[in-house]
């Protein structure tokens, strides 16, 4: 797991794993570990173009997208308690 501690853009995000404990994990194509964003309780995040949500465990869920990949702009300034915003949306693959 790689902690997101500064503002960044993630491309080719295959799915997003979320939890009620204020964590978003981003699975990026070709990466072995998740990129983890730890949010404050009142954080601002929006994920568009979600096809469906699957419950993994009692407090964990996976967001699957309608397109091929999510692109996510993520604001962060520390390891824990970030307020965002986080904005994710689908874009067509550049490989096409």
């Amino acid at each position: 797991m790689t902690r997101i501690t500064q503002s960044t853009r993630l491309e080719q995000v295959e799915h997003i794993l979320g939890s009620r404990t204020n964590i978003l994990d981003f699975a990026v194509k070709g990466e072995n570990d998740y990129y983890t964003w730890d949010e404050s309780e009142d954080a601002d995040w929006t994920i568009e173009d979600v096809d469906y949500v699957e419950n993994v465990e009692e407090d964990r869920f996976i967001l699957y997208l309608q397109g091929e990949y999510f692109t996510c702009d993520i604001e962060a300034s520390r390891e824990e308690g970030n307020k965002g915003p986080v904005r994710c949306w689908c874009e067509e693959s550049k490989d096409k």
Side-chain angles (χ1 to χ4, degrees):
M1 153 180 71
T2 301
R3 289 266 184 190
I4 299 171
T5 59
Q6 60 186 5
S7 296
T8 189
R9 173 176 276 196
L10 296 177
E11 296 181 347
Q12 295 190 325
V13 176
E14 297 178 318
H15 66 270
I16 300 168
L17 186 63
S19 76
R20 287 187 278 182
T21 58
N22 303 326
I23 301 273
L24 292 176
D25 292 318
F26 302 87
V28 176
K29 179 182 178 185
E31 300 283 335
N32 291 328
D33 292 325
Y34 284 98
Y35 287 85
T36 299
W37 183 72
D38 187 305
E39 63 183 275
S40 65
E41 199 167 308
D42 59 345
D44 175 19
W45 57 272
T46 302
I47 301 172
E48 300 174 6
D49 306 314
V50 173
D51 187 33
Y52 67 97
V53 178
E54 178 182 315
N55 287 329
V56 179
E57 297 170 4
E58 186 174 309
D59 68 338
R60 304 278 289 166
F61 56 90
I62 298 177
L63 301 170
Y64 290 100
L65 61 159
Q66 292 174 349
E68 195 165 349
Y69 300 108
F70 285 118
T71 297
C72 297
D73 284 333
I74 304 165
E75 284 195 28
S77 59
R78 58 186 152 242
E79 195 167 303
E80 296 178 354
N82 290 290
K83 292 194 177 285
V86 172
R87 300 286 179 259
C88 297
W89 66 94
C90 288
E91 288 188 3
E92 291 298 317
S93 172
K94 295 179 175 108
D95 299 334
K96 287 187 176 181

